[in-house]
Amino acid sequence: MKRFMTAYSKNRIRITILLLTLFLSFDIHAQNQKPILLRSGPSMEYSSSILKAKPLDVLSLVQASGKTIHITDGSGAEYIQSAVKPLFTFIVGGALGKHTIVVKDKKNTIVSTLNFDVDATTSINDGGRYKEMFDLFYTSMGNHTGSVMWNGARYRYFVPWGLDHYHTMKGLKYFSGYGKEFVDLMQGAQREDGMIWSFVEHMSNMDYFKTRDSVMGYTRKIGDKYFVRQPTENHPEYIYVQTIYQVWKSAGDDAWMKDKLNSAARALNYSMTDPARWSKRFGLLKRVYTIDSWDFQVDDEYTPNIGLSNTMIIDPVKSKFGVFFGDNTSYVMACNQLAEMYEQVGMKDEAVEFKTRAAEINKRLNALSWNGKFYTHFIDEDSTVKRDLGVDEKSQLAQSNAYSLNRGIGHEKSKPIIETYIHLKNNLPVGSPGEWYAIYPPFEKGFGSHGDKWQYMNGGVGGHVAGELARGAFENGYEKYGTDILERMFALGKKYNNKIYFSYTGSIPPPPPAPAFKPLDLQPFANMDTWTIGGKNSLPWMNSKRVGDDLHKMPVGAQTLANIPFTLIDPKKNERKAVVAVSKRKGYPEEVSIAVNKTAASIYMLHTSSKPSSENISGAVSFVYADGTHATRYIVMDKHLTYWWFSELKTDYSGIAWYGSNGVTKGVGISWCAIDNPNPDKVISKIILHSAEDETIYTVLGITLADRPHYVPVNPVSYGGPDNWAAATNMAAMIEGLAGVKDSPETENYSTPTVSPSWIVTKSDTVQATVRYAASNGYVAYTYIHQPNQKQIQIMVAGSGEKINCHILLPESTKPLSVLVDGLTVPFTVNQIEKSVYADFSLKGGAAKEIFIKY
């Protein structure tokens, strides 16, 4: 332990001296003196009553008399026994809760007792980059917990949709213990046939769902709340079972879990009995054609017209169904998880039933969907269906391939899936943020109402997919790739608002060349001054009665404003006429025609108006073409322009072009806006400025033609889905993959955890990690130190379980030579996955263990 403590802290010698100095201040010959407990650290604390500590804290006991020291953990188990020493230093381990130090004399009689509390929170700290990564993933998950009152009881959730709640729990279970309440809610509302609802009422207006589902019954009021099933979905049942399993693993509550088993079995049985969910032809779960597991379907010639929102509803007879592989890999996992839970409570026959079901479905799925590299996205049940979606559907890599890596598909299939993603990483479309696509290549047709190309589910890059892919990479011997994914997600988070997003734009082409601009000469058409002066034949600025309340400080001549060239008229040189104004007020023209006789793909307006009295219409602009046709666009306040006092406006097509002051106010401004010409190939004979129907004064200071449509830079952040879901999957990958703390199969609450840190592939040689399930006291804590010069890995580890399985990754091209635990050589095995070599051995739980691995 001394060697470890020396490596762990450069201040250890200083701390020990302080402890000895403090100890020497006590009378070591005093009888029955209550011991003093101290914590070593930057701010030393001592206590004769209760001290708060964390696992792996170094504590010291100053003891006046006695023979033996016994320390028990929060479960009452003794994890340290030692002879009394003048200064007894130990490392905190064992179960969380109240720890008790008992000092006994030679007759085994208790002479003194001291308690201290031990608690743990999940954290990862290398003193630098990976602490920052952990913090960013954590803050990106946010405080997104909510609740719903149902029949007089409150149920908390992470997200009120079953799918989102489950995936978000993957990260939030380490910080918040709210997972089980949403399961309780869905169990209470479960339909008679076993169906699970997609979400519970959480919006003010449920009329859309009540109207949409009035025939099929997919929206139902149960008690005092509405529950909704998205008709196209086939995942609520297996997600429900997986959520039960995830809650059980993190809470360790066997009684709660046992109460859910019948409900879970009914849910999985429903998936095989409802004709809209089960394919008799293939013996697999089916659904209508959606993008991966999402809740809207294709809109093509095979989509029946059956009511409101055809892409969101189904008809068991008229709709065309097929097999989406992700439903089935996830259903297989749910069956195996249910079998594991049955085994835990001694229901062996039921466990065998669901294990057998899982194996049979998995066999049929592999025969149908596995193409040797990944699972084929969708296979129509009706072989006569020939869709035209503008893409080779068999080539499409759908996001559930990444998710399937973590569903027990085995290394044989995981390897080619990971290699496919690595190949895609090396051949990305222009401007892509990463290979973690919802689907790639995207659809060109069929999803227009929900699937803009390269956005959201149609070729968007999922932050949530990245987390799943990284977790699968760590599990399958691709630790460098898993780390690389987390590093790139961390970089995206820092680049875009210090946050992880659900989806990013999948391809961003370079901007087009700058347009050729042509400012129009408005001098012949101007009728208003920019000053309050006005003239014999010109109107004063905005009919202002206050001298100086105008635009007299605005520049004139050729000006570039908001990167657009305009020609601004000098009123001194044009009989005080610098602005074209239209209004229904007396003395104003209601419209003005401006000669153009040119083509243009767009026009840019430099303009403002008085405040409109109704409907926010300031005026209108008409394109009149040489062939006699025309097109009109209304000018809307706060969309195309804003009022000229204290102006604020920012949209993709408009903004503030100039801001200044005048003799009355410190803030006046003029807006710009872009209007794309609906007929860019036609010659524009003239542009007509129209007034509004009220007495609003609409004023134009400049018009510039452009030979290209207005370019709006592509937003690199896409839309759709809860961002905390994405952050949660990356947090899970960091904790379970990079930090390498996870439950072993068929155990829960870290009773037999696996510790498999991957820090060896990073530049961080010293890392402290504590991982705790928030719903229980299950935890693992370790300090990891790599000393490459000594070819040695040191780990101090403690946990709440009875046993810890160690699966320690070694540097590339090395092998373990020896493993020492608390100074004693222990047996180990060498395991290799791909090129990754591990030293495998087990530790007894309780006291903290000091490990040295030589390689």
Side-chain angles (χ1 to χ4, degrees), residues 487-673:
E487 291 278 10
R488 285 183 285 145
M489 282 306 306
F490 178 42
L492 283 174
K494 291 200 297 183
K495 185 175 183 179
Y496 303 121
N497 305 315
N498 285 314
K499 179 180 177 180
I500 301 299
Y501 285 94
F502 182 84
S503 184
Y504 299 84
T505 299
S507 178
I508 303 177
F517 293 109
K518 177 65 177 177
L520 295 180
D521 181 7
L522 300 186
Q523 285 193 99
F525 315 103
N527 56 10
M528 177 184 278
D529 201 344
T530 47
W531 295 44
T532 52
I533 297 173
K536 181 178 180 181
N537 296 313
S538 69
L539 299 162
W541 170 252
M542 283 291 183
N543 203 32
S544 177
K545 306 299 182 186
R546 291 176 291 189
V547 176
D549 185 15
D550 52 28
L551 300 180
H552 66 268
K553 292 186 178 181
M554 189 168 181
V556 296
Q559 300 290 331
T560 299
L561 304 174
N563 297 316
I564 306 157
F566 291 101
T567 299
L568 278 66
I569 302 168
D570 185 346
K572 298 177 184 177
K573 300 178 180 179
N574 196 44
E575 299 178 341
R576 308 303 313 175
K577 299 175 185 177
V579 180
V580 181
V582 292
S583 177
K584 288 195 178 295
R585 291 192 186 201
K586 185 178 180 180
Y588 288 80
E590 292 187 14
E591 64 179 44
V592 172
S593 295
I594 300 168
V596 177
N597 296 316
K598 292 181 176 63
T599 58
S602 61
I603 64 170
Y604 291 86
M605 310 291 295
L606 189 65
H607 55 178
T608 188
S609 83
S610 61
K611 293 182 177 179
S613 60
S614 66
E615 306 303 327
N616 265 3
I617 302 298
S618 291
V621 175
S622 289
F623 297 89
V624 179
Y625 303 105
D627 64 2
T629 60
H630 69 277
T632 300
R633 297 291 181 265
Y634 288 101
I635 303 298
V636 181
M637 178 67 71
D638 298 326
K639 179 180 179 182
H640 300 100
L641 48 61
T642 189
Y643 184 56
W644 62 286
W645 266 47
F646 312 127
S647 307
E648 293 183 8
L649 181 67
K650 186 176 182 180
T651 77
D652 288 338
Y653 283 80
S654 61
I656 302 302
W658 176 85
Y659 196 82
S661 63
N662 62 29
V664 176
T665 176
K666 297 295 183 182
V668 291
I670 297 296
S671 308
W672 69 270
C673 88

Side-chain angles (χ1 to χ4, degrees), residues 49 100 125 132 183 210 270 338 342 369 396 450 512 576 630 789:
S49 56
T100 301
N125 187 359
E132 285 186 59
V183 173
K210 289 184 282 185
Y270 162 81
L338 182 55
Y342 272 129
S369 296
Q396 288 181 298
H450 292 93
R576 308 303 313 175
H630 69 277
N789 293 336

